[in-house]
């Protein structure tokens, strides 16, 4: 990706992106978005960037799509990263809400296609498929996460949109330590996982090698 002075950079997603943004004065949260914002200042001090956290806790692709125009399009991003899908998966396993209308794989594909259509015209757009920090690849939730991640990758490939494989980054970590060492639920990244996510995005932005 090509970073330019005065670029507006938006990160859209769910709680992984949100990271308690409403409890921070700058609205950037305490996760990977804040780390990237600070890296931009540290590594590109000659430039001015506008960074927006457009993550909302609990969002599925359906809910992100519903608020897209207000939370993403209105920011007029030059660079956009979108990481969504884990709640689309998680709701299938959330037995506290058994009557919820789940986002099926078919609807998820339609939603991702619609998000891509709405992102047309943005100079740099990157989709980040969902990940799950579980070593056991036969785990039921890991299998479904990989199914939904594949949909994101397929939709992106059909439209010539770049992707970041965050599952690969976490799998490399889990060669040495289990996912639970980062997060008990194997989804929310905490400080260590946020660094892993930020590192991959900073590579894509050309901030680090």
């Amino acid at each position: 990706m090509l970073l330019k002075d005065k670029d507006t950079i938006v990160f859209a997603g769910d709680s992984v992106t949100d990271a308690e943004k409403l409890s921070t004065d700058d609205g950037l949260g305490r996760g990977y978005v804040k780390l990237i914002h600070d890296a931009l200042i540290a590594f590109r001090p000659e430039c001015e960037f506008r960074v927006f956290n457009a993550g909302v806790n609990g969002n599925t692709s359906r809910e992100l799509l519903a608020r897209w125009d207000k939370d993403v399009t209105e920011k007029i991003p030059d660079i956009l990263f979108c990481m969504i899908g884990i709640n689309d998966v998680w709701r299938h396993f959330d037995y506290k809400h058994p009557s919820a209308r789940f986002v099926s794989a078919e609807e998820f594909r339609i939603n991702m296609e619609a998000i891509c259509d709405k992102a047309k015209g943005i100079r740099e757009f990157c989709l980040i498929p969902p990940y799950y920090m579980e070593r056991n690849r036969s785990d039921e939730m890991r299998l479904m996460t990989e199914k939904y991640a594949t949909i994101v990758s397929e939709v992106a490939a059909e439209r010539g949109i770049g992707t970041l494989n965050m599952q690969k980054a976490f799998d490399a970590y889990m060669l040495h330590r289990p996912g639970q060492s980062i997060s008990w639920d194997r989804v929310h990244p905490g400080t260590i996982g946020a660094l892993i996510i930020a590192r991959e995005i900073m590579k894509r932005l050309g901030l680090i090698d």
Side-chain angles (χ1 to χ4, degrees):
M1 285 183 170
L2 179 63
L3 272 173
K4 297 181 180 181
D5 189 20
K6 303 296 192 299
D7 270 348
T8 294
I9 307 171
V10 176
F11 297 91
D14 47 42
S15 58
V16 174
T17 300
D18 183 305
E20 303 178 21
K21 71 179 185 183
L22 296 181
S23 67
T24 59
D25 291 338
D26 56 13
L28 295 176
R30 308 180 193 280
Y32 77 87
V33 176
K34 175 63 172 175
L35 291 171
I36 293 167
H37 169 269
D38 291 353
L40 287 164
I41 295 173
F43 303 151
R44 295 288 189 275
E46 73 281 8
C47 297
E48 294 182 14
F49 300 104
R50 298 171 70 229
V51 177
F52 292 98
N53 184 331
V56 172
N57 289 335
N59 265 195
T60 63
S61 61
R62 182 191 299 151
E63 292 155 334
L64 174 58
L65 182 60
R67 64 180 177 85
W68 188 272
D69 291 344
K70 178 179 181 295
D71 289 357
V72 179
T73 304
E74 287 187 8
K75 301 297 188 295
I76 315 178
D78 301 292
I79 297 175
L80 171 63
F81 288 88
C82 177
M83 176 163 50
I84 197 70
I86 193 58
N87 285 318
D88 300 69
V89 173
W90 202 336
R91 294 296 170 263
H92 291 266
F93 300 89
D94 188 353
Y95 296 109
K96 292 181 180 179
H97 304 285
S99 63
R101 186 165 68 90
F102 302 140
V103 177
S104 66
E106 293 74 21
E107 182 191 347
F108 183 63
R109 182 181 294 274
I110 292 169
N111 292 344
M112 294 310 303
E113 290 172 344
I115 284 172
C116 290
D117 289 342
K118 285 182 174 291
K120 284 181 179 178
I122 295 174
R123 193 183 80 232
E124 304 279 2
F125 177 39
C126 181
L127 285 170
I128 305 176
Y131 63 83
Y132 190 52
M133 291 181 280
E134 170 56 60
R135 283 173 169 171
N136 179 8
R137 299 196 176 192
S138 64
D139 177 271
E140 188 177 10
M141 189 163 168
R142 164 107 192 208
L143 287 171
M144 185 175 285
T145 301
E146 290 181 347
K147 177 180 179 180
Y148 280 56
T150 297
I151 291 171
V152 175
S153 298
E154 290 174 351
V155 170
E158 290 166 2
R159 287 162 169 73
I161 296 168
T163 59
L164 267 181
N165 188 340
M166 213 59 71
Q167 185 67 62
K168 181 178 179 181
F170 282 111
D171 283 345
Y173 174 90
M174 289 189 293
L175 290 174
H176 307 283
R177 303 185 185 209
Q180 290 92 330
S181 68
I182 293 178
S183 170
W184 69 269
D185 64 15
R186 291 162 288 178
V187 172
H188 295 95
T191 55
I192 295 171
L195 279 168
I196 292 172
I197 295 171
R199 179 188 62 190
E200 298 306 308
I201 293 174
M202 285 191 282
K203 287 179 183 177
R204 182 58 61 93
L205 289 171
L207 289 173
I208 60 174
D209 296 329

